[in-house]
Amino acid sequence: MTITFLPSALAFSKKVVQWMEDFYGGQIPMTSGKKSENDTLLKILLGLCYFVIGNYKKVLIGFSIIIVGTVIGISNLKYETNFINYLPDSNSIKQDIKSLQNKFGGSVPFVAVAKAKSSEYDFTHPDSLKLLEKIQGDLIREVDKFETSFSIMDYMKEVHRAFNENKVEFYKIPDDNMVILDYYLLSDRRIMGRLVSPDKMEATITFQAKWGSNEEAKSEAIHISEYLEKNLGENHTINFTGLTTLYVKMEHRLKQSLIRSFSVAFVIILFMMLFVCRSFSLTLLCMIPNLLPILVTIGIMGWLKLPLDVSTIMIASITLGIAVDDTIHFVVGLRRYFVSHDKINASLLHVFREVGKPVTVTSIVLFSGFIILLFGSILPTKTFGALSSFAIIFALICDLLLLPALIIIFKPKIIPIDDAQKSEVSYKRPSGKRFGLKAMQMKK
C-alpha cells in the first residue's frame, strides 16, 4: 500500500502536487534538507550517538552482563499447556472447575486403553477383567492426582450384583466366562461402545484427575509406566490418551515448533540481511542485535517464571521479523553515508541524523500496538503483548547502542552504495509526459 497506493493517490491530488511544486520551485527533493534545530527527539538521538562513540567499550560490557543474566534465565524456562492457568482467578469458568474438583473429585480425563494380544485374553475372560481391577485400584492409591476411575470391570460388578438381589458379596467380577458373555448380551450398546470395542479386544479405563502442571503430569506418567512394566503381564498392552496426555505431548510439540519456526525465520532473514549488507562480516554483526532481543525476552520469562505456551511461542519469530526492520534502515543509512573506517564516527552521526528518527517512531508505534494486549482477559495474550512490546523496544536499543559499538570495534567490511544510484533521474510516462510532477528528480 505504501509503495503503490500512496504515490498514486498523491499523483491524483492535484492541489497537493501543485503546492509541492510551487513550494520547491518545480523540484521536490528526496530529503527535507537541514533538520530542525528544535527537534527534541533528534537531539536525544545525536546525544545517544555521541555517547556510543565515546563509550563503546562500556556499552559492550553492559550488554555482556545482560547476556550472562539471559543465559541464567533461559536455563530456568518452563513449558506449560495447562489451559486452566490461562484464566484469572476471578473467571467464572475457573471457579466452576475448582468447585467441581473440590466436591466431585477430578475433572480432567486420563484414559488408558488396554489391548489384549490374542482372543484368549480378551475382556470376556474373568482374568482380564481382574487385571483391570488391579490396575485401577493400584493407580488410584499411588497417583495423587487420580480421584476416581471407571471401566468395563466396574460395569460388570454392578450388573453382577444387580442380578443377585443387590447383595454386597456379589459386587465382584463373575468367575464364569459364560456369565460375563450373558451380561454383554444384556448390556446397553451405547454404554458398551464407550467401555469396550465390539470385538472385546480393547477396553478403556477412565481416571478423573485434578488439574496440575505439566511437570507433575510427566512425573506421574513415568511412575505409571514403571508400574505397568512390573504388573501388566505379557498378554496385554496399554496406551494412554485423554487431555492430560495431550498436554504433555503438546509441551514437546511446543519445543519443536519453537526451534523450527525460529530456524526458518533466522535463515530467511540471514539471507535477506546478506543481500542488504553485501558483506558477510557486516551481516553477522547485524544479526546480533536481531537475536539478542529474543534471547533476552526468553531469559526474562525464565526469571519471572513465565511459562512458554501456545501464545508466547510466537514471540521469537515475530520479534525477529520486526527487529530486522530497524537494522535494515540503519545498515542502508550506514552504506549510504559511509566514507571510511577512519571517519566512522562522522558516518554514524549522519546515520543517526537521517534514519534515527523514523526508526524510533516506527518502534514506538509497534510498541503501542502490542501493549494494548495487556487489556485482554486471557493471561497468555496479556503476557504475549507485554513481552512483544519489550522485545520491540529492546531491539531498538540494540540497534542504537549495540550495533554502532560493534561496528566501531570490529570494523566490518562496509560497501558504500554506488554513486550511480544517487545520480539525477527523471521519471516520465511512456507517452513522454511527466509522471504527476513537472520535474521530479532524485538528488545526491
Side-chain angles (χ1 to χ4, degrees):
M1 293 292 288
T2 303
I3 64 176
T4 56
F5 172 76
L6 186 57
S8 300
L10 288 175
F12 281 104
S13 302
K14 295 182 180 180
K15 291 183 179 181
V16 176
V17 173
Q18 186 62 46
W19 177 85
M20 295 175 69
E21 290 177 352
D22 295 340
F23 182 82
Y24 289 107
Q27 291 185 342
I28 299 180
M30 294 300 291
T31 61
S32 58
K34 287 186 177 182
K35 302 294 180 182
S36 173
E37 296 180 357
N38 297 322
D39 193 330
T40 304
L41 179 57
L42 181 59
K43 290 180 180 179
I44 295 174
L45 290 171
L46 292 178
L48 197 61
C49 183
Y50 281 114
F51 172 79
V52 176
I53 292 173
N55 303 275
Y56 56 88
K57 291 183 179 179
K58 294 180 181 179
V59 170
L60 284 185
I61 293 173
F63 276 96
S64 299
I65 295 173
I66 293 175
I67 292 173
V68 173
T70 297
V71 173
I72 297 174
I74 291 176
S75 64
N76 297 323
L77 186 65
K78 303 295 183 182
Y79 296 82
E80 185 59 73
T81 52
N82 189 347
F83 294 104
I84 192 64
N85 292 335
Y86 297 170
L87 303 173
D89 292 335
S90 59
N91 185 274
S92 60
I93 297 176
K94 187 171 185 178
Q95 291 176 350
D96 291 343
I97 291 176
K98 287 185 176 181
S99 176
L100 181 65
Q101 290 186 158
N102 294 332
K103 296 179 180 179
F104 302 100
S107 58
V108 182
F110 182 90
V111 182
V113 181
K115 184 176 182 179
K117 292 184 178 180
S118 66
S119 58
E120 297 178 3
Y121 304 99
D122 65 12
F123 294 97
T124 62
H125 291 78
D127 291 340
S128 296
L129 294 177
K130 290 178 181 179
L131 177 63
L132 295 184
E133 183 179 31
K134 175 178 173 53
I135 291 174
Q136 286 179 234
D138 290 347
L139 291 182
I140 286 291
R141 287 189 297 270
E142 296 185 16
V143 180
D144 294 335
K145 292 293 181 181
F146 289 169
E147 293 289 322
T148 60
S149 65
F150 190 78
S151 70
I152 185 63
M153 177 273 302
D154 297 286
Y155 183 85
M156 288 296 171
K157 289 166 69 173
E158 290 284 357
V159 173
H160 188 52
R161 182 173 63 178
F163 273 89
N164 289 275
E165 301 178 348
N166 282 327
K167 295 181 179 180
V168 177
E169 60 267 25
F170 286 96
Y171 185 69
K172 62 179 183 178
I173 298 170
D175 294 324
D176 190 343
N177 173 257
M178 297 304 296
V179 173
I180 295 175
L181 288 174
D182 288 339
Y183 291 162
Y184 271 119
L185 291 174
L186 296 171
S187 63
D188 189 330
R189 293 182 180 273
R190 293 173 298 178
I191 297 177
M192 286 296 102
R194 300 177 182 180
L195 301 177
V196 67
S197 62
D199 59 2
K200 310 301 184 290
M201 293 292 289
E202 293 179 285
T204 62
I205 308 174
T206 303
F207 297 92
Q208 292 301 119
K210 292 182 178 180
W211 287 91
S213 67
N214 275 359
E215 297 299 326
E216 293 174 333
K218 286 191 291 185
S219 176
E220 291 167 357
I222 294 173
H223 178 70
I224 293 172
S225 298
E226 293 175 349
Y227 165 82
L228 291 176
E229 287 181 3
K230 297 178 181 179
N231 298 278
L232 185 60
E234 299 180 353
N235 301 318
H236 297 84
T237 60
I238 286 187
N239 295 319
F240 297 104
T241 182
L243 286 179
T244 304
T245 306
L246 176 64
Y247 291 155
V248 174
K249 290 186 177 181
M250 280 180 64
E251 177 181 317
H252 177 67
R253 298 297 184 186
L254 280 176
K255 296 177 182 178
Q256 290 184 330
S257 176
L258 174 64
I259 295 173
R260 289 176 182 174
S261 62
F262 180 75
S263 299
V264 171
F266 176 81
V267 171
I268 293 174
I269 290 176
L270 177 65
F271 279 102
M272 185 180 67
M273 288 302 301
L274 186 60
F275 175 78
V276 173
C277 297
R278 305 298 177 89
S279 165
F280 188 72
S281 58
L282 181 59
T283 300
L284 291 181
L285 287 185
C286 288
M287 292 305 296
I288 295 175
N290 289 327
L291 295 176
L292 189 57
I294 300 169
L295 298 177
V296 171
T297 302
I298 296 177
I300 288 176
M301 293 177 63
W303 279 106
L304 299 179
K305 301 187 183 303
L306 297 173
L308 195 65
D309 52 36
V310 292
S311 179
T312 54
I313 197 76
M314 301 182 292
I315 290 178
S317 300
I318 291 177
T319 302
L320 182 60
I322 293 176
V324 74
D325 182 62
D326 294 344
T327 308
I328 290 175
H329 280 290
F330 192 95
V331 170
V332 172
L334 181 63
R335 291 184 59 205
R336 179 177 291 117
Y337 302 112
F338 180 76
V339 178
S340 65
H341 281 290
D342 294 335
K343 299 181 179 180
I344 188 65
N345 294 349
S347 301
L348 289 174
L349 281 169
H350 232 326
V351 172
F352 271 76
R353 177 182 293 275
E354 297 297 328
V355 305
K357 188 173 181 179
V359 163
T360 303
V361 172
T362 301
S363 298
I364 293 174
V365 171
L366 290 170
F367 169 85
S368 303
F370 278 94
I371 202 67
I372 292 176
L373 295 177
L374 280 175
F375 296 98
S377 60
I378 305 299
L379 183 59
T381 304
K382 297 169 67 175
T383 304
F384 173 76
L387 293 175
S388 298
S389 301
F390 167 80
I392 291 169
I393 293 300
F394 192 77
L396 175 65
I397 294 173
C398 288
D399 282 321
L400 296 180
L401 291 178
L402 181 60
L403 184 56
L406 292 172
I407 291 173
I408 293 173
I409 292 178
F410 293 101
K411 296 180 174 59
K413 182 180 180 182
I414 300 175
I415 302 175
I417 293 179
D418 190 2
D419 288 341
Q421 298 181 21
K422 305 177 190 178
S423 61
E424 294 186 355
V425 180
S426 180
Y427 293 90
K428 297 182 179 181
R429 292 178 179 176
S431 61
K433 296 181 180 180
R434 300 279 181 181
F435 182 73
L437 305 178
K438 293 181 179 178
M440 183 177 181
Q441 297 178 332
M442 294 179 64
K443 287 193 172 185
K444 292 184 180 180

